[in-house]
Amino acid sequence: MTPEGKLKDHVKAYLDERGAYWFMPIGVGYGSAAVDFFCCVKGRFVAIETKIWPRKPTPRQLLCLNAVQAAGGVGFVAYDMDAVRANLGRYDD
């Protein structure tokens, strides 16, 4: 398994622990504007793109994350689990 695949598995487990709804759209290889995860976490719409440093999100992935943020959701790039915990932890009660 690739390092990015391992990170995705950790994100899945963390989202499950939090009781989040999540899904991963299937990429079709045509530069779709989707990201790795679309989730609902404590009533918030969340989009997460996972990357292993130094890889960067594509321009279309950034457009997707920015569109989610512009619509009032949460969108971010996760290079590690610390980023996931930090971005989602701010919504803990």
Side-chain angles (χ1 to χ4, degrees):
M1 178 178 291
T2 66
E4 191 169 304
K6 290 178 185 177
L7 177 57
K8 288 177 185 176
D9 283 349
H10 289 297
V11 172
K12 291 175 196 176
Y14 182 72
L15 292 170
D16 286 343
E17 287 172 17
R18 293 184 60 98
Y21 168 80
W22 59 269
F23 75 96
M24 297 177 71
I26 297 173
V28 293
Y30 292 103
S32 67
V35 292
D36 292 325
F37 292 90
F38 290 107
C39 322
C40 185
V41 181
K42 293 194 174 194
R44 289 177 175 78
F45 187 82
V46 179
I48 306 169
E49 176 61 25
T50 57
K51 293 291 182 194
I52 298 299
W53 186 260
R55 294 190 64 209
K56 296 182 180 182
T58 67
R60 292 190 61 140
Q61 290 167 334
L62 289 174
L63 282 173
C64 179
L65 294 173
N66 290 336
V68 168
Q69 291 173 342
V74 178
F76 62 94
V77 179
Y79 288 100
D80 53 35
M81 284 305 298
D82 289 339
V84 176
R85 288 185 197 96
N87 278 283
L88 299 183
R90 61 186 169 175
Y91 302 112
D92 289 340
D93 297 325

